Amino acid sequence: MKGLSRFGRFLWEGASSTSPAPSLSEAVRATVHQGKPAQFTFATVVTESDDVLAALVRPGEEAETRRWGHVGVLAIESESGSYVAGVWPARHDGVFHLVGVVPVTSKKWSSLERRVARSAPVIVPVILNQADFDGIVESLAGSGRVEVSRLNFTRITDGANWQVTHPHGLGPRPSYEAAVSEITDPVFMRTAALHIDDRLHLHLRRQAGATYYSGDFELFEERVLGGLADAASRRMRLLADRQRNVSEPAELNPVTVRLSSGLLKGSADNQFVVNALLKQPSMGVAVFHGNPYLHIAVTDYLDGSNFDAFVTTDDEVIVYPGFRSSLGSLTRLTDFLSEHLGGVEVAAGAEEQLIPTEAFLTSG
């Protein structure tokens, strides 16, 4: 296989050897050439599958897989060239890091992201809550001053994307807190290019992932990849096993996608929620009530999961799982709502039942 990165060749050849599989930090150290800056791109995903590698490959596709102990190795031949990605188990069950030495903007990485999207709801990425994002930055601050060279964010009120840059050499870069405090509009962060003194340079992404550029990889692995894995594991625990039980129909187990206060103000905004969901591939939407409150039924055609969603206030969408609700499908739905509505948190809903049982399509 021609044109592989040092990292890709290390994984591909190593998976054919009898040597024990390396840790992630060992693999990185073995392939960073003479200390030169690298670009290791990571995406963190969750799954209930026992075979993540197999779920990433469809029958008949031009892709090969190998296993190196606990590490999965995926090789792909595409029109933009050959590349190899690693699939590393994270420090929590059901959470994995996908890694490749390609820019996140490259066609090669996009092809890997498409594989993840096609594997839904078996494998799904996770959208970080703002608190998750800030928590990773706060963890890094324990090792030095966290400076910002670039922020990408979306303005919640109109969906406009913005970028703020602080180039090196034009004065000191602001701290993360100072850079965020300069943003006066309600926004949600999409990505941040961060520098921890001279120790680490990285890019953190709201769709759980990061890029390591240079510096202390062990610090990056512990604080950044560890933080992404912790956030993904919390989301798994929140969303797993929420389907309704026929023998206990009153237990609805809602999940709330919390938004900026005042975002949803009336019927026009209710329609905005409906229109957003209509853009989600492989999901069916039926509107049962549109004004003043919104009630929609959502069906995931990929695995038959079903949900009722309500908007009764100006700052949240409440999702009630039906009699079938897979972890992957509920993650996919709540992440989609969070991404398109600028959700600040996905959390457990109120325990008390606020909606009459007879309102539910999925109540039987």
Side-chain angles (χ1 to χ4, degrees):
M1 191 174 292
K2 299 179 180 180
L4 294 182
S5 66
R6 290 170 61 88
F7 179 76
R9 187 166 299 280
F10 174 80
L11 291 183
W12 193 244
E13 294 177 353
S16 297
S17 72
T18 58
S19 61
S23 68
L24 183 54
S25 59
E26 288 170 342
V28 170
R29 284 198 301 268
T31 56
V32 173
H33 184 56
Q34 297 179 348
K36 293 182 179 180
Q39 188 161 322
F40 291 82
T41 298
F42 293 84
T44 302
V45 299
V46 298
T47 181
E48 292 181 299
S49 173
D50 294 329
D51 195 341
V52 177
L53 201 58
L56 289 170
V57 180
R58 288 181 172 179
E61 287 186 331
E62 293 185 4
E64 295 182 68
T65 61
R66 292 179 179 176
R67 300 178 191 278
W68 192 2
H70 60 282
V71 181
V73 184
L74 173 66
I76 302 171
E77 294 281 355
S78 68
E79 59 182 16
S80 55
S82 306
Y83 74 104
V84 167
V87 181
W88 245 275
R91 63 190 187 189
H92 298 286
D93 290 343
V95 183
F96 292 82
H97 300 303
L98 310 182
V99 54
V101 185
V102 290
V104 72
T105 55
S106 74
K107 292 182 179 179
K108 292 180 179 180
W109 187 257
S110 295
S111 69
L112 181 59
E113 291 181 322
R114 287 194 297 272
R115 286 180 178 275
V116 173
R118 290 200 304 263
S119 71
V122 177
I123 302 173
V124 289
V126 173
I127 302 296
L128 299 179
N129 291 335
Q130 188 62 48
D132 298 327
F133 198 101
D134 292 343
I136 293 173
V137 175
E138 183 178 348
S139 175
L140 287 167
S143 298
R145 184 174 189 267
V146 181
E147 299 178 344
V148 171
S149 58
R150 184 165 71 253
L151 291 177
N152 289 281
F153 52 88
T154 297
R155 191 164 58 195
I156 294 173
T157 52
D158 59 6
N161 294 321
W162 294 84
Q163 182 179 99
V164 174
T165 59
H166 300 279
H168 181 64
L170 298 180
R173 297 189 184 102
S175 68
Y176 175 79
E177 294 80 2
V180 171
S181 68
E182 294 176 357
I183 304 170
T184 57
D185 291 335
V187 302
F188 64 88
M189 205 67 60
R190 301 189 71 88
T191 69
L194 305 173
H195 306 256
I196 294 78
D197 290 334
D198 294 326
R199 294 189 61 185
L200 182 62
H201 178 200
L202 68 113
H203 213 124
L204 180 63
R205 298 188 297 278
R206 186 171 185 251
Q207 180 165 311
T211 298
Y212 164 83
Y213 294 116
S214 61
D216 185 344
F217 184 81
E218 282 75 13
L219 175 62
F220 175 86
E221 183 177 19
E222 173 62 27
R223 304 292 173 83
V224 180
L225 296 184
L228 293 173
D230 291 346
S233 180
R234 286 193 295 270
R235 192 65 55 81
M236 285 187 73
R237 294 196 300 271
L238 171 68
L239 300 182
D241 299 321
R242 285 191 171 266
Q243 63 274 2
R244 296 178 63 190
N245 190 319
V246 175
S247 64
E248 299 175 350
E251 294 196 10
L252 300 176
N253 293 322
V255 174
T256 297
V257 180
R258 292 179 180 148
L259 315 173
S260 294
S261 180
L263 182 64
L264 304 175
K265 299 176 182 178
S267 59
D269 294 321
N270 287 348
Q271 187 60 45
F272 176 74
V273 175
V274 174
N275 291 341
L277 279 171
L278 288 172
K279 298 176 183 177
Q280 172 67 304
S282 304
M283 279 195 175
V285 178
V287 179
F288 287 91
H289 202 284
N291 187 33
Y293 73 90
L294 175 66
H295 172 202
I296 55 179
V298 181
T299 302
D300 189 337
Y301 295 137
L302 294 178
D303 70 354
S305 293
N306 50 82
F307 313 92
D308 286 273
F310 289 83
V311 175
T312 59
T313 65
D314 65 3
D315 61 356
E316 64 181 13
V317 180
I318 306 174
V319 177
Y320 292 85
F323 288 111
R324 176 171 176 78
S325 171
S326 68
L327 167 67
S329 183
L330 185 53
T331 303
R332 186 167 169 252
L333 174 60
T334 54
D335 278 358
F336 186 85
L337 288 168
S338 185
E339 180 73 359
H340 284 74
L341 302 178
V344 297
E345 183 182 21
V346 179
E351 293 184 3
E352 64 270 19
Q353 183 178 329
L354 301 179
I355 307 297
T357 301
E358 58 268 19
F360 290 84
L361 174 70
T362 56
S363 62

